[in-house]
Amino acid sequence: MLVLSLPSLCGAQQPTREQLELLKKLPDNAHVLYILGDLNGDGVVDQKDLALLREIVAKPSAPLPAAVRCQAAGDVNLDRKLDASDVAVLAGWLKDAPRVDIPALYWQPGLGCKLSEPYLAATIEPRAGENFLIRFIDPSYSTANMRVQVRSGPATIRPAADGKGYSGTISSDARSGALAILLITLPRNRSYYYDLQVRAAPH
């Protein structure tokens, strides 16, 4: 079986001046998010992405298709490689619908993909009792036109004072490995899930 291993860092797209300023202000424990399955970076997961993934897996030694903006997004089973199993998973997601209704957001250390939709960054794996952030990288986003809600899990959340994101807190009694599932709704009624996993407390 031909397997394409993912690099730890994809080629970076030049952000706009406003986005660059917002990126500079991110705290050290916040990382840029991307959409699992959204290889072309248009903010949705659909048959176009599946076609790109099939092309990549079928020709692993060929240059990436020009439409690919996030190679890492094709690793939908999160095993750090692109192969037929990822194609099968993504095809399963799209079996009964033209697109994934509410895609999941994911991250890699550093900028895992070219800067693309949904232009968000988030804290990774906070500990029990710690605060976490969802920050906007698109200057047109604000708490006036975006919403972040806790759907389940040991967390609370509120708009940040500067209007450029949301601040949350993991419950002090949350267990290591517990998941707080956030629903992030962007302009034009686009919604995404982001799972925050509680990290073990230091010994």
Side-chain angles (χ1 to χ4, degrees):
M1 178 188 300
L2 295 173
V3 172
L4 177 63
S5 295
L6 291 175
S8 60
L9 189 66
C10 303
Q13 175 188 354
Q14 185 65 35
T16 65
R17 181 179 301 175
E18 292 88 350
Q19 287 173 326
L20 190 58
E21 287 302 312
L22 291 166
L23 286 167
K24 286 179 180 178
K25 294 176 182 177
L26 291 179
D28 291 340
N29 63 343
H31 296 277
V32 175
L33 304 179
Y34 62 86
I35 303 167
L36 276 179
D38 181 20
L39 282 84
N40 64 6
D42 64 357
V44 298
V45 181
D46 57 18
Q47 294 293 333
K48 295 177 184 177
D49 300 298
L50 180 57
L52 287 171
L53 182 57
R54 282 180 169 144
E55 184 177 349
I56 292 170
V57 172
K59 301 175 182 178
S61 59
L64 284 176
V68 173
R69 294 186 59 171
C70 188
Q71 182 183 4
D75 180 26
V76 291
N77 66 0
L78 304 178
D79 64 356
R80 300 290 297 166
K81 58 190 178 184
L82 298 185
D83 57 22
S85 63
D86 295 297
V87 173
V89 170
L90 187 53
W93 290 357
L94 296 167
K95 180 181 178 183
D96 298 317
R99 63 176 61 182
V100 176
D101 186 32
I102 304 179
L105 301 177
Y106 197 64
W107 62 279
Q108 288 185 30
L111 189 59
C113 296
K114 297 177 183 179
L115 192 60
S116 60
E117 294 278 3
Y119 304 118
L120 298 172
T123 302
I124 305 304
E125 297 180 344
R127 293 187 174 97
E130 286 187 345
N131 296 328
F132 63 89
L133 299 173
I134 303 292
R135 297 299 292 170
F136 307 151
I137 303 172
D138 188 325
S140 70
Y141 292 169
S142 73
T143 52
N145 61 13
M146 289 188 59
R147 187 170 69 254
V148 181
Q149 302 168 281
V150 178
R151 293 302 300 269
S152 64
T156 57
I157 198 159
R158 60 202 170 276
D162 64 0
K164 282 298 179 183
Y166 280 76
S167 301
T169 304
I170 298 295
S171 301
S172 59
D173 59 352
R175 295 182 178 181
S176 175
L179 286 179
I181 301 176
L182 308 181
L183 177 64
I184 302 173
T185 304
L186 279 65
R188 303 197 305 275
N189 235 13
R190 292 168 298 154
S191 295
Y192 305 94
Y193 283 122
Y194 177 56
D195 295 350
L196 270 173
Q197 186 169 35
V198 178
R199 195 169 30 147
H203 296 291

